[in-house]
């Protein structure tokens, strides 16, 4: 299950997580010259990014040490409001002065398959010889139990070798580019962020139900030697027994 962090509402939750992330980055940065951070898209992390880009975090976090990556991307132009990278730039990256060479977007100006192959090559170079991959991965969970672009019933849920892949998602009529379970599960720390009563029933199945990854893909995220945390609000936690 990992460690649960339950807050009253989304505001308190984002505040708690911002503090947790800040402390974690500073702790790791005392031991390493580089911190690798995987950003999540969607609407849920926007408030978190807003908090991190403001005082005190915009001044206390060693932003110059952080290298940013993405968990998944919609294959739409950067200027499209659905683009995960654009949201992160608007809400966080442009506000804290991250060096351009430390930002690694999943390209959407080339084909999705080519973009996935290029991203995997970058990751393999970054983590060659390392015991873990990313220092920190931020994930969301959809009402349907998906995370990254691992949607119910898709074959990518069961990927064992590739770190990055792409596929066409008919339900959305678009290509998706995504990290896979193998690379995420070798991270040092993974945090799920889930908010609202729309997540409650699914979260109960993911955390307390039988292992059914084709129905609840978030279940395949199980760090091998790293930490797993769930930051959720009371509404999302409403159906949990614990």
């Amino acid at each position: 299950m990992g460690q649960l962090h339950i807050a009253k509402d989304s505001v308190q939750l984002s505040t708690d997580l911002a503090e947790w992330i800040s402390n974690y980055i500073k702790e790791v940065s005392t031991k390493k010259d580089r911190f690798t951070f995987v950003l999540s898209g969607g609407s849920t992390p926007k408030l978190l990014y807003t908090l991190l880009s403001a005082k005190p975090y915009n001044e206390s976090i060693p932003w110059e040490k952080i290298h940013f990556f993405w968990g998944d991307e919609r294959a739409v132009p950067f200027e499209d409001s659905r683009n995960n990278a654009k949201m992160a730039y608007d809400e966080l990256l442009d506000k804290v002065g991250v060096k351009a060479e430390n930002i690694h977007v999943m390209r959407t100006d080339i084909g999705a398959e080519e973009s996935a192959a290029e991203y995997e090559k970058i990751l393999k170079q970054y983590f060659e010889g390392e015991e873990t991959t990313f220092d920190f991965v931020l994930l969301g969970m959809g009402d349907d139990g998906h995370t990254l672009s691992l949607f119910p019933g898709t074959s990518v849920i069961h990927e064992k070798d590739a770190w990055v892949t792409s596929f066409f998602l008919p339900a959305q009529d678009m290509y998706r580019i995504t990290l896979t379970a193998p690379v995420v599960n070798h991270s040092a720390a993974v945090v799920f962020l889930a908010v609202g009563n729309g997540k409650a029933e699914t979260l109960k199945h993911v955390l307390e139900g039988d292992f059914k990854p084709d129905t609840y893909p978030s279940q395949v995220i199980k760090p091998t030697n790293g930490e797993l945390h769930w930051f959720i609000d009371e509404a999302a936690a409403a159906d949990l027994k614990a």
Side-chain angles (χ1 to χ4, degrees):
M1 178 183 291
Q3 185 174 342
L4 289 178
H5 308 256
I6 302 175
K8 180 180 179 180
D9 53 32
S10 61
V11 175
Q12 186 60 53
L13 183 63
S14 297
T15 301
D16 292 348
L17 182 51
E19 182 70 12
W20 188 95
I21 289 172
S22 174
N23 290 335
Y24 178 64
I25 291 173
K26 286 184 277 191
E27 176 189 346
V28 173
S29 295
T30 63
K31 308 168 189 174
K32 300 173 65 175
D33 294 329
R34 181 180 71 194
F35 184 95
T36 49
F37 189 137
V38 175
L39 295 164
S40 174
S43 59
T44 303
K46 281 188 177 182
L47 177 55
L48 171 66
Y49 295 164
T50 298
L51 291 172
L52 290 174
S53 68
K55 292 182 179 180
Y57 306 116
N58 63 343
E59 297 176 344
S60 63
I61 291 175
W63 297 104
E64 71 281 358
K65 287 189 173 185
I66 305 177
H67 289 244
F68 288 97
F69 299 84
W70 273 262
D72 71 330
E73 186 58 273
R74 302 174 178 92
V76 296
F78 178 81
E79 297 77 15
D80 192 306
S81 61
R82 297 170 295 173
N83 186 280
N84 287 337
K86 183 181 189 305
M87 187 275 282
Y89 269 93
D90 290 346
E91 304 297 334
L92 176 63
L93 302 178
D94 282 341
K95 297 179 180 180
V96 294
V98 180
K99 294 184 291 186
E101 58 265 32
N102 288 6
I103 302 174
H104 309 278
V105 301
M106 290 176 164
R107 292 178 60 187
T108 59
D109 60 331
I110 55 178
E113 185 175 348
E114 183 181 355
S115 177
E118 180 182 280
Y119 215 67
E120 176 151 335
K121 184 177 180 181
I122 291 171
L123 298 184
K124 290 289 179 69
Q125 291 172 342
Y126 255 74
F127 301 120
E128 183 178 7
E130 300 285 341
E131 292 183 6
T132 58
T133 53
F134 304 105
D135 292 303
F136 178 73
V137 179
L138 179 65
L139 298 177
M141 185 194 74
D143 292 357
D144 62 355
H146 87 268
T147 191
L148 302 166
S149 286
L150 313 184
F151 290 90
T154 54
S155 61
V156 66
I157 296 168
H158 304 285
E159 179 61 53
K160 301 298 182 186
D161 299 314
W163 284 10
V164 190
T165 192
S166 66
F167 64 97
F168 184 76
L169 188 63
Q172 297 182 358
D173 192 30
M174 69 168 62
Y175 281 90
R176 308 280 303 214
I177 307 157
T178 187
L179 300 184
T180 63
V183 68
V184 173
N185 284 339
H186 278 89
S187 302
V190 177
V191 166
F192 274 92
L193 180 60
V195 174
N197 55 19
K199 304 282 198 303
E201 182 178 355
T202 299
L203 187 62
K204 174 180 175 61
H205 288 291
V206 170
L207 295 182
E208 300 178 344
D210 295 334
F211 184 64
K212 297 180 179 178
D214 284 299
T215 305
Y216 304 108
S218 291
Q219 290 182 321
V220 301
I221 303 302
K222 298 179 178 181
T224 307
N225 295 307
E227 302 176 14
L228 176 61
H229 298 263
W230 285 84
F231 278 78
I232 59 180
D233 67 354
E234 289 180 358
D239 291 351
L240 297 179
K241 294 178 182 177

